[in-house]
Amino acid sequence: MSDFLSLSFPRKKDYIPVARLTTSYLASLKNLDLDTIEDLRMIVTEACNLSYFLQEDQGDISLKISLGKEEITFAISCPYPEKIKEDDGSLMSESIIRSLADDLDYRDSTMLIFKSIYTDQ
């Protein structure tokens, strides 16, 4: 049986630390190593930053986490423009997300990011 947590918050810089802290705390509950926890925090940070800087104030960022006995799964959904800006570091942020996450997809002006980690518990 899994515990499922969902956090939705406005796309404001003030809430990015809440998402990072929530992610790292829940990952630590599964005794993940510090490098893995930092990778998760980077994914969340880059997704929030991309969404914040590239889009008008519309829509919320959604963080969904499933804590299973042997697996922890993270899903991030946030507004994202159809065409990214190439001059503001967005390509770098996208590259970071792609290198750390299992999947990055764009659907209907939304960026969807997934990451699953198997645990020893």
Side-chain angles (χ1 to χ4, degrees), residues 56-86:
E56 303 290 321
D57 281 336
Q58 49 186 301
D60 290 340
I61 295 174
S62 172
L63 175 62
K64 296 180 181 179
I65 302 170
S66 174
L67 296 169
K69 185 173 182 178
E70 297 176 356
E71 181 181 25
I72 181 170
T73 304
F74 293 83
I76 303 167
S77 172
C78 48
Y80 194 79
E82 293 293 328
K83 185 174 181 180
I84 67 170
K85 301 174 186 175
E86 296 183 12

Side-chain angles (χ1 to χ4, degrees), residues 96-114:
I96 291 170
I97 294 169
R98 285 194 186 281
S99 70
L100 298 175
D102 294 336
D103 190 32
L104 169 62
D105 195 12
Y106 301 98
R107 291 186 210 141
D108 302 321
S109 297
T110 302
M111 179 171 47
L112 304 168
I113 302 166
F114 301 95

Side-chain angles (χ1 to χ4, degrees), residues 11-106:
R11 282 181 323 100
K12 295 182 179 176
K13 285 187 122 181
D14 297 340
Y15 298 111
I16 294 174
V18 173
R20 288 172 48 94
L21 184 59
T22 300
T23 299
S24 59
Y25 175 73
L26 292 174
S28 71
L29 289 177
K30 290 296 187 177
N31 296 321
L32 298 181
D33 62 79
L34 291 176
D35 287 337
T36 302
I37 292 172
E38 187 56 33
D39 288 350
L40 292 169
R41 288 169 37 120
M42 284 291 295
I43 292 169
V44 169
T45 301
E46 295 302 329
C48 291
N49 284 338
L50 271 175
S51 182
Y52 175 78
F53 286 115
L54 296 178
Q55 189 74 327
E56 303 290 321
D57 281 336
Q58 49 186 301
D60 290 340
I61 295 174
S62 172
L63 175 62
K64 296 180 181 179
I65 302 170
S66 174
L67 296 169
K69 185 173 182 178
E70 297 176 356
E71 181 181 25
I72 181 170
T73 304
F74 293 83
I76 303 167
S77 172
C78 48
Y80 194 79
E82 293 293 328
K83 185 174 181 180
I84 67 170
K85 301 174 186 175
E86 296 183 12
D87 60 345
D88 61 3
S90 60
L91 293 177
M92 175 72 110
S93 292
E94 185 179 0
S95 294
I96 291 170
I97 294 169
R98 285 194 186 281
S99 70
L100 298 175
D102 294 336
D103 190 32
L104 169 62
D105 195 12
Y106 301 98

